[in-house]
Amino acid sequence: MHVKIADDVYWVGAIDWNLRLYHHTYSTHHGTSYNSYLIMDDKIALVDAVYGPFAGELIGRINEITPTERISYVVVNHSEPDHSGALPAIMELAPEATILCTAKCRDYLERLYYPDPDWKFSVVKTGDEVSLGKKTMRFIEAPMMHWPDSMFTYVKEDSLLLSNDAFGQHIASSQRFVDEIDEAVVWEEEAKYFANTLYPFVGLIKRKLDEIKDSGIPIKTIAPSHGLIWRKEPQRILDKYMYWAEGRAKERVFVAYDTMWESTGAMAMAIVDGVQEAGVEVRACRLSATDPSDVYTDVLLSKALIVGSSTVNNTVLPAMAAFLEELKGLRPKNKIACAFGSHGWGGGAVKVIEKSLQQAGVEVIQPGLTVRHKPSPEELKECVELGKRIAGSVKQSGN
Ligand code: FEO
């Protein structure tokens, strides 16, 4: 069923109820949607397609409103297959349509689909406008939000920002609008989306948000290409993106650890006790038992990281090694941290953690805590004190 989102603008996308792993890296506990929008005017525009296996759903929804053959423009805001997979099927039905996209997007589409030479492309850039009759589409390039080819389409007369991946969430729902479902789920999935898709590009995101603000364009609705549409108070998601892009987080500590024989695990729990006793929110997870994409969300949402591993072969356990490597790529801003861990003889994990945290741009604010074999009662007290000290630093740092 298509859904009206503004006068003569309709959601015609597809719902993927069963997606549980996006990009083969990112768990999607709530499934997802691939959102496409149809703008009906003297000329008809389709903004974004859907993932290829869902082409039939898209075309069925378009045909509820108008024959697909009548489409004049297909805007491809971003070429990744979850938004362009159905493009060949659309072009088969509407061969006279012109594809509007950035120069990089055209390049990527040509490599992804080796299209028929008859496909008509028109490359657009920031500020370009295309009139459909009464409505005008204006284009805003948004490189690295989250691919180099990404752009937004702004429908001027409706103050409607079709933002593609930016501001979206992986949620499959029978509802189409944020204000129709439990908002806690929306915020949780927004954070996970940002942490797993956009985190390394926060500098560019901040500049793009400033550019949108400075342009003064009114934004009444933000309709992303995944999940629910922000039709009420869209400024809230713009503000939240700025908050995350600036590396801000609330007073919260994340204890990420892995343990071989529960000695490092016992240290972790004592550290958690210390943070709690100091009155600061804390979350802990054993990395080898936790979905990595949820772990990165906890990194985004926490001011401090306390990271611990047992030592094996003079280094960290495998799940910790993977976490630290990913952290170097994410380069989280404005985090403070320290390390801990137990070892049997040679040690090494704590030093590896500290070095990796520094390489990730995280500020290590105190020397790591190491114990040999099993922590003694006195050493567990030291762990509690470490938790308290980090909690105190979190309180001092503000957000
Ligand atoms: Fe939702 Fe970058 O694709």
Side-chain angles (χ1 to χ4, degrees):
M1 186 183 80
H2 64 277
V3 177
K4 180 178 173 179
I5 69 160
D7 285 342
D8 294 321
V9 183
Y10 300 92
W11 175 89
V12 290
I15 311 290
D16 191 344
W17 297 97
N18 296 309
L19 185 77
R20 291 294 176 270
L21 197 60
Y22 178 73
H23 277 171
H24 291 274
T25 54
Y26 174 166
S27 64
T28 46
H29 307 309
H30 296 102
T32 196
S33 69
Y34 311 109
N35 298 338
S36 296
Y37 301 98
L38 192 71
I39 307 172
M40 297 297 295
D41 204 334
D42 298 341
K43 289 189 172 176
I44 297 168
L46 176 70
V47 180
D48 291 321
V50 299
Y51 185 35
F54 293 83
E57 263 192 59
L58 169 67
I59 291 164
R61 290 193 171 106
I62 294 169
N63 288 343
E64 290 168 8
I65 303 165
T66 185
T68 302
E69 293 77 355
R70 290 199 54 223
I71 290 172
S72 297
Y73 296 107
V74 182
V75 179
V76 183
N77 277 325
H78 166 44
S79 64
E80 196 163 9
D82 52 330
H83 308 297
S84 70
L87 184 63
I90 294 291
M91 296 307 289
E92 188 81 27
L93 292 169
E96 296 306 314
T98 299
I99 297 168
L100 301 169
C101 63
T102 62
K104 278 208 163 59
C105 186
R106 176 179 180 168
D107 174 45
Y108 296 174
L109 288 173
E110 285 177 341
R111 293 298 302 178
L112 285 165
Y113 300 106
Y114 298 92
D116 188 313
D118 291 341
W119 281 20
K120 291 197 280 278
F121 283 93
S122 178
V123 166
V124 294
K125 55 188 186 319
T126 295
D128 287 353
E129 294 186 350
V130 170
S131 172
L132 299 173
K134 293 177 281 303
K135 293 180 188 285
T136 313
M137 298 186 296
R138 180 178 182 161
F139 304 103
I140 303 166
E141 291 168 276
M144 304 322 291
M145 281 181 89
H146 68 121
W147 272 20
D149 66 340
S150 299
M151 75 169 182
F152 305 155
T153 298
Y154 178 68
V155 184
K156 284 169 77 173
E157 292 72 13
D158 300 302
S159 303
L160 167 64
L161 188 69
L162 303 171
S163 59
N164 197 261
D165 279 318
F167 316 119
Q169 341 84 32
H170 283 306
I171 298 175
S173 169
S174 56
Q175 277 70 40
R176 297 271 57 80
F177 299 97
V178 166
D179 54 277
E180 293 179 312
I181 74 161
D182 180 350
E183 212 174 87
V185 175
V186 174
W187 284 118
E188 182 186 330
E189 290 297 332
E190 285 282 4
K192 185 169 181 175
Y193 199 92
F194 191 99
N196 285 275
T197 311
L198 297 164
Y199 214 166
F201 314 119
V202 291
L204 287 165
I205 291 167
K206 193 172 171 310
R207 282 202 287 282
K208 184 54 60 180
L209 293 169
D210 282 334
E211 182 190 315
I212 290 171
K213 188 177 171 192
D214 293 345
S215 74
I217 57 168
I219 296 176
K220 196 170 142 197
T221 305
I222 295 178
S225 60
H226 294 291
L228 288 304
I229 297 165
W230 293 86
R231 68 177 168 185
K232 290 184 180 169
E233 303 176 282
Q235 190 60 41
R236 289 195 300 157
I237 187 61
L238 294 168
D239 290 345
K240 188 60 86 174
Y241 261 49
M242 183 59 92
Y243 181 84
W244 288 329
E246 288 174 341
R248 296 165 72 193
K250 65 175 177 173
E251 288 182 2
R252 186 181 196 262
V253 173
F254 180 43
V255 180
Y257 71 97
D258 208 0
T259 184
M260 188 185 287
W261 288 109
E262 296 303 334
S263 292
T264 301
M267 294 175 78
M269 292 306 108
I271 290 167
V272 166
D273 284 347
V275 178
Q276 275 182 308
E277 282 177 31
V280 168
E281 182 183 338
V282 58
R283 184 171 159 78
C285 83
R286 181 176 181 167
L287 296 177
S288 57
T290 310
D291 180 329
S293 41
D294 289 328
V295 170
Y296 306 126
T297 311
D298 276 318
V299 171
L300 173 74
L301 297 177
S302 304
K303 187 76 198 166
L305 314 176
I306 308 181
V307 183
S309 176
S310 317
T311 292
V312 59
N313 298 331
N314 302 115
T315 187
V316 295
L317 290 169
M320 177 58 70
F323 169 70
L324 294 172
E325 202 53 36
E326 183 72 16
L327 209 60
K328 286 185 225 171
L330 296 178
R331 295 194 63 77
K333 301 276 178 297
N334 294 338
K335 306 292 180 198
I336 56 174
C338 75
F340 68 97
S342 79
H343 65 274
W345 48 97
V350 167
K351 280 195 167 47
V352 168
I353 292 169
E354 287 177 337
K355 189 174 175 194
S356 298
L357 289 170
Q358 284 158 351
Q359 287 172 335
V362 174
E363 185 187 0
V364 178
I365 61 167
Q366 67 172 73
L369 185 58
T370 59
V371 306
R372 201 161 60 81
H373 290 294
K374 189 175 172 185
S376 66
E378 292 72 28
E379 286 168 328
L380 287 175
K381 280 183 194 159
E382 280 184 55
C383 292
V384 172
E385 292 308 311
L386 181 147
K388 285 182 183 173
R389 283 196 301 278
I390 296 294
S393 299
V394 163
K395 284 179 173 176
Q396 281 171 12
S397 66
N399 63 1

